Every structure is written in C-alpha cells, then in structure tokens.
Amino acid sequence: MSEEIAIAVEDVTKKFGELVILNHLNFKIPANKITTILGFSGAGKSTLMKHILGLLKPTHGKVSVFGKDLGTLDEMELREFRRNFGMLFQYAALFDSKTALENVAFPLREFTKLKDSEIREKCKDLLLSVNIQEESFNKLPSELSGGMRKRVGLARGLALSPKIMLYDEPTTGLDPITTKMVNDLIVDTQNKYAERGMTTIIISHDVRATLEISDFVAFLDRGTIVEYSTVEEFRLSKNPLVQEFINL
C-alpha cells in the first residue's frame, strides 16, 4: 500500500440512538489511488462518506484527512477544509436553472475571489477537459443527456483543484455504454491529476465497475469492514459474503 495516507478511519462507531450504523471501523485510504467502498444498500456507505467529509461526527473514534483530525475543527475551519474535496453526486445534482457553465462556476464564485472573466475561462477549460464542447456550455441540465450531466458534475467537482475526488454511486441508473463512459472518465481524471496527488474514493454497489477501475476495495456490511484489500486480492477473497456479492 502507498506510504502516504489520505484518510485514516480509526475505531469509528456511529450511533443514532440505539441504532449502530458504523461499528468500530478501522482502515486507511492511500493517497493517489482509486479506492472503492463497496457494499449492499443500507451497509453504511453514505454515512461513512459523510464522516469523511466532516458532515457527521463519530459517536466514538476519529477520522483524519491528511493527518488532520476532523473532529477538532469548528464549522468555519471545516468549511474551508472541504475545499480539499471534490464531489460527483449520484445524479450529478446540477442546479436546474443554471447552465452547464454556470453550474461549474458556482464553487468558484463561492470560494474564490477570481474575476468573472477569469471564472469564465476556467470553467471553459474544465468543461472542455471532460469533453463538453462549447455548443453545450449554455445548455440547461434538462437539455443534456445523463452522461453529459455527469461530465458537467465532474467539471464542477474539479473546479477548486481538490486533493480528494469523491464519487457517490456514479453509475447508478445508467445504461452500459454510459456506465463505461463514466468509468473511463473516473480513471482518466485520476491519471490526469495524478502528478499533483489526487486521491479518488468511490461509493458504490456496482461490483463489476469496481473490479475494473479500482486499486483498493473496502467491503462494508452492516457497518463493519469485512474485507479491505487490493482489487486483485479482493477477487480471490475466501470470504463467502464477498464471493456472493462478486457473483451476483
């Protein structure tokens, strides 16, 4: 495993009342790699992602990102720290009333002091980098295909040059051709930004895509990590739950 650790999850337990969602999780996500957190619906994947983003605090344990314990940061510090993260949401989560270019511009207007002309140029470059051509810059999300909305969402996620890119169920509801396009886009993005040290984390239940594009896989079941290994080791796992999931 890579020497540099992007995220360390140390004995993390999360309870809502008596309900245990995460149960003593311990694992480390290496920097500059693609790690997928895999599991059935209800396994605790989304709750874990919210802890990584600092949106939730553990009932017990801690989450550290690049050595910084998120539990020690106040709201203002967390807001600033989240600039380290880019996010592609499950259905892209674009603003319906904003054009493709305006969607990408949103985080730049919120978090930077760039001039409008500078923002526009940066947004054009970002959209072109994910293969959105100029004739689509001023289209609304409703005028774009599902695959194009994903690309615009990715461009927006990359706007602040994040160190960590998070993908939430990126291939859910997509046809096989668009699924392959999204998977290729994730790998291409990781490779493109590898020199400056981007780390990719995918939340997914798509085992086929996971085995094709990941470096490491963490398999989460009922709030517990039951397997965490390289993708090659994961394929050969003797764990019956893992094999059942792989063979679905």
Side-chain angles (χ1 to χ4, degrees), residues 28-43:
K28 294 177 180 179
I29 295 176
N32 313 329
K33 301 290 184 182
I34 299 176
T35 297
T36 297
I37 298 167
L38 192 65
F40 295 102
S41 296

Side-chain angles (χ1 to χ4, degrees), residues 24 41 91 108 114 147 160 165 215 217:
H24 296 288
S41 296
Y91 296 106
L108 293 167
L114 293 174
L160 297 174
M165 191 67 206
D215 296 304
V217 183

Side-chain angles (χ1 to χ4, degrees), residues 226-245:
V226 296
E227 184 89 24
Y228 183 45
S229 62
T230 65
V231 71
E232 292 84 4
E233 291 167 337
F234 189 80
R235 289 177 193 272
L236 301 172
S237 171
K238 302 293 189 204
N239 188 307
L241 190 63
V242 172
Q243 283 303 319
E244 178 190 349
F245 197 80

Side-chain angles (χ1 to χ4, degrees), residues 12 14-16 21-22 46-59 63 70-71 75 78 82:
V12 166
K14 182 63 178 178
K15 295 181 180 180
F16 293 103
I21 306 298
L22 302 176
S46 294
T47 301
L48 175 56
M49 182 172 66
K50 288 174 183 175
H51 280 76
I52 289 171
L53 286 164
L55 296 170
L56 288 175
K57 292 191 175 182
T59 306
V63 177
L70 299 188
E75 280 305 312
L78 270 172
R82 286 192 193 108

Side-chain angles (χ1 to χ4, degrees), residues 180-218:
K180 184 181 185 310
M181 181 274 291
V182 171
N183 288 337
D184 290 345
L185 194 60
I186 291 171
V187 174
D188 289 347
T189 301
Q190 174 64 31
N191 291 339
K192 189 180 294 182
Y193 290 89
E195 283 186 10
R196 64 171 179 76
M198 176 179 279
T199 299
T200 293
I201 301 171
I202 305 168
I203 304 291
S204 183
H205 64 263
D206 186 342
V207 69
R208 187 172 288 109
T210 296
L211 295 177
E212 286 175 1
I213 68 174
S214 303
D215 296 304
F216 295 90
V217 183

